[in-house]
Amino acid sequence: MSHDDDLDLELGRLRDATADLLPSAGFADRVMAAVAEVPEVTLIDVVGRWGRWAVAAAAMAAAAASFIAVDVEQDVNAEVISTFDAVEVSP
Amino acid sequence: MSADLQLQAARVAKGDRAAFRTIVEQTQVPLHRLAIRLLGNPAEAEDVLQEAYVKAFRALSADRFSGDSAVQTWLYRIVTNAALDHMRRRRSKEKSSDAAPEPQMDGAGSAEARMALRELDAWLQDLTPDQRAVVILKAVEGMTTPEVAEVLACSEGAVEQRLVRARATLREKRDLTESQKP
């Protein structure tokens, strides 16, 4: 028998021996009493949570829009410069 | 039970607090066993389990349970994390005071079970909290490696690594104990 088998046997024995440990009587009542003290989630909490997401999404959209606007402006400038260079004035 | 728990969780999310009692009643025995084996102390296990249930309730009622895992697995994760936090806090307190707390053995269960719990706790004492959690979840609770990885939110490799180290520590401890026997 390997060392690991030995360890597993020992842990198995302790698992079986501790199987009948139960929570004390009235444990569920105590949990429910603690739960009763948790304030209810109100509409304001929900709106507040979604509001934070909305603000974050709007900020990201604004950042993306600024980036695109700058990029487009650079393209337009390049286009204007190349067009200007290409103008031929006939005598 | 899994489908029923999922249903009850959905009810709690809609504001039905009574549905949470059903969840507690259906899961308290296995979760208490997990907490008591992780902590080795019935009184601390009940406190930690209660704290974990309150956390679960807050998450459910705020609709923060994604439903990616089964309710039971999710609860296992909350209880294990709460127990790990408690163990780490206890360790740092023990380091500063140099005295380990005497386990309170007034919980329900036979005298043999309480004795076995004391034995299990003493045997696993030299493991880090993370190693102890892996040994309890895998070798005692009988979970598979992917299940343990899901509960501990780590990779399967990390689970195996912790298990190998834990086994090495346990073997060393046992060999030392046997060599000291007359």
Side-chain angles (χ1 to χ4, degrees):
Chain A
M1 187 183 287
S2 77
H3 281 303
D4 279 355
D5 288 343
D6 247 13
L7 289 177
D8 286 336
L9 272 182
E10 186 60 10
L11 287 168
R13 180 184 72 78
L14 292 170
R15 175 191 57 228
D16 296 343
T18 53
D20 73 347
L21 288 166
L22 297 169
S24 54
F27 175 70
D29 293 334
R30 283 205 302 283
V31 170
M32 291 313 291
V35 160
E37 286 173 24
V38 175
E40 275 190 41
V41 178
T42 62
L43 189 62
I44 294 168
D45 296 327
V46 177
V47 170
R49 197 165 59 242
W50 286 108
R52 279 196 292 275
W53 279 105
V55 168
M60 280 176 68
S66 307
F67 177 77
I68 291 166
V70 167
D71 201 39
V72 167
E73 193 183 358
Q74 279 172 352
D75 289 349
V76 169
N77 285 345
E79 191 69 28
V80 167
I81 289 165
S82 64
T83 314
F84 181 77
D85 286 346
V87 170
E88 284 181 21
V89 182
S90 53
Chain B
M1 180 166 94
S2 177
D4 188 39
L5 283 178
Q6 217 77 18
L7 191 71
Q8 301 302 333
R11 283 188 183 154
V12 177
K14 284 179 187 155
D16 181 358
R17 286 182 176 228
F20 194 70
R21 177 179 276 277
T22 312
I23 294 178
V24 174
E25 285 170 352
Q26 285 189 11
T27 57
Q28 62 174 338
V29 171
L31 289 178
H32 173 261
R33 229 170 10 223
L34 170 68
I36 209 170
R37 283 167 173 162
L38 283 169
L39 296 163
N41 182 319
E44 285 182 3
E46 289 204 357
D47 287 348
V48 165
L49 184 55
Q50 179 173 320
E51 182 193 318
Y53 272 129
V54 172
K55 263 187 201 163
F57 175 77
R58 280 180 194 275
L60 284 176
S61 55
D63 211 6
R64 276 190 276 118
F65 170 58
S66 63
D68 290 343
S69 54
V71 175
Q72 180 113 350
T73 309
W74 178 68
L75 289 172
Y76 262 77
R77 187 184 305 158
I78 295 176
V79 173
T80 304
N81 283 338
L84 282 171
D85 286 346
H86 188 84
M87 276 189 265
R88 289 181 191 122
R89 278 200 302 270
R90 189 169 66 185
R91 281 198 172 205
S92 61
K93 257 189 211 167
E94 280 168 23
K95 270 184 195 161
S96 59
S97 71
D98 261 357
E102 196 53 32
Q104 308 265 308
M105 290 292 173
D106 53 357
S110 65
E112 290 80 17
R114 282 179 273 153
M115 193 98 103
L117 181 66
R118 206 172 279 166
E119 204 182 324
L120 180 69
D121 186 46
W123 200 35
L124 304 183
Q125 200 120 55
D126 296 339
L127 303 182
T128 64
D130 287 331
Q131 290 171 351
R132 183 174 173 130
V134 168
V135 169
I136 295 290
L137 291 168
K138 193 156 196 294
V140 181
E141 296 288 332
M143 286 185 175
T144 61
T145 302
E147 285 170 340
V148 177
E150 194 181 351
V151 167
L152 295 176
C154 65
S155 68
E156 291 178 31
V159 171
E160 291 296 347
Q161 198 178 30
R162 285 176 201 170
L163 196 62
V164 166
R165 286 190 185 150
R167 282 182 186 283
T169 307
L170 293 177
R171 268 197 304 272
E172 249 175 56
K173 184 170 186 169
R174 195 192 44 198
D175 292 347
L176 189 71
T177 314
E178 276 173 12
S179 69
Q180 285 170 346
K181 279 182 187 168

